[in-house]
């Protein structure tokens, strides 16, 4: 879920006047990112997105990439959605979405096969990636993968929508 974001007019409005174009680029990390690979994957996607834009003569105000992965940096295993945004001046910002726990008993299999595969097996469903994701099953339909990405995106945007006071 990489997007190219262009703003119309002189002020940024999160919900209006925005053109978004999805372009698939490589993360250059494991299919199931773990710990530092999560942020690195998002940064790599932005780097590759900028390269794609340059090669195809595409101009954008912002380049945005998302990477989800698992982390135990907080003492328990969590699935974490990370968004990295870089503007045309090469200023970057990172945001995180809500993280949800993963029981230890599934971690080895998740590392080998990806979280979506393990959840699909547990819930006897097709692969649970986008748009709803495994969190849709785990939350009994209350939260989607898109919801997690949206929150991470908005958190990263705080550095840009507040001008110089939050940079």
């Amino acid at each position: 879920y990489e997007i190219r974001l262009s703003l119309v007019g002189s002020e940024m409005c999160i919900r209006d006047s925005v053109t978004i174009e999805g372009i698939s680029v490589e993360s250059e990390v494991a299919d199931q990112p773990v710990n530092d690979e999560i942020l690195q994957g998002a940064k790599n996607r932005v780097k590759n997105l900028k390269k794609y834009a340059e090669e195809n003569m595409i101009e954008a105000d912002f380049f945005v990439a998302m990477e989800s992965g698992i982390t135990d940096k907080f003492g328990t295993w969590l699935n974490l959605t990370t968004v990295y945004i870089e503007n045309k001046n090469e200023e970057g910002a990172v945001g995180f979405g809500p993280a949800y726990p993963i029981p230890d008993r599934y971690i080895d299999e998740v590392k080998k096969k990806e979280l979506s595969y393990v959840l699909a097996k547990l819930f006897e469903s097709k692969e649970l990636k986008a748009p709803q994701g495994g969190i849709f099953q785990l939350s009994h339909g209350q939260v989607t993968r898109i919801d997690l990405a949206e929150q991470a995106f908005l958190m990263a945007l705080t550095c840009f929508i507040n001008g110089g006071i939050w940079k």
Side-chain angles (χ1 to χ4, degrees), residues 73-88:
K73 289 194 176 241
F74 305 105
T76 188
W77 283 102
L78 301 166
N79 186 71
L80 180 66
T81 299
T82 303
V83 167
Y84 181 68
I85 301 174
E86 196 170 289
N87 67 13
K88 61 185 173 185

Side-chain angles (χ1 to χ4, degrees), residues 11 16 26 35 37-38 40 82 112 128 143 156 166:
E11 293 186 359
D16 297 321
E26 292 296 319
N35 290 322
E37 287 182 318
I38 305 167
Q40 190 59 55
T82 303
K112 290 177 189 170
L128 299 172
V143 179
W166 205 245

Side-chain angles (χ1 to χ4, degrees), residues 56-165:
N56 291 280
M57 298 174 46
I58 297 171
E59 290 186 32
D61 295 307
F62 294 90
F63 296 91
V64 181
M66 179 187 86
E67 190 72 39
S68 293
I70 60 172
T71 183
D72 65 348
K73 289 194 176 241
F74 305 105
T76 188
W77 283 102
L78 301 166
N79 186 71
L80 180 66
T81 299
T82 303
V83 167
Y84 181 68
I85 301 174
E86 196 170 289
N87 67 13
K88 61 185 173 185
N89 299 324
E90 299 188 352
E91 298 170 312
V94 65
F96 299 99
Y100 60 89
I102 303 168
D104 288 342
R105 69 178 180 246
Y106 299 121
I107 290 301
D108 289 338
E109 189 175 11
V110 167
K111 286 180 180 179
K112 290 177 189 170
K113 296 187 178 179
E114 291 188 59
L115 180 59
S116 62
Y117 173 86
V118 173
L119 289 171
K121 187 172 98 175
L122 290 171
F123 288 101
E124 298 176 355
S125 179
K126 60 184 176 179
E127 192 175 0
L128 299 172
K129 285 192 176 184
Q132 295 177 334
I135 189 60
F136 187 78
Q137 291 287 341
L138 291 170
S139 68
H140 291 238
Q142 298 301 302
V143 179
T144 68
R145 186 170 190 236
I146 292 171
D147 295 330
L148 301 178
E150 181 180 81
Q151 292 301 307
F153 174 68
L154 291 172
M155 295 304 102
L157 268 182
T158 61
C159 290
F160 298 104
I161 62 177
N162 289 289
I165 65 169

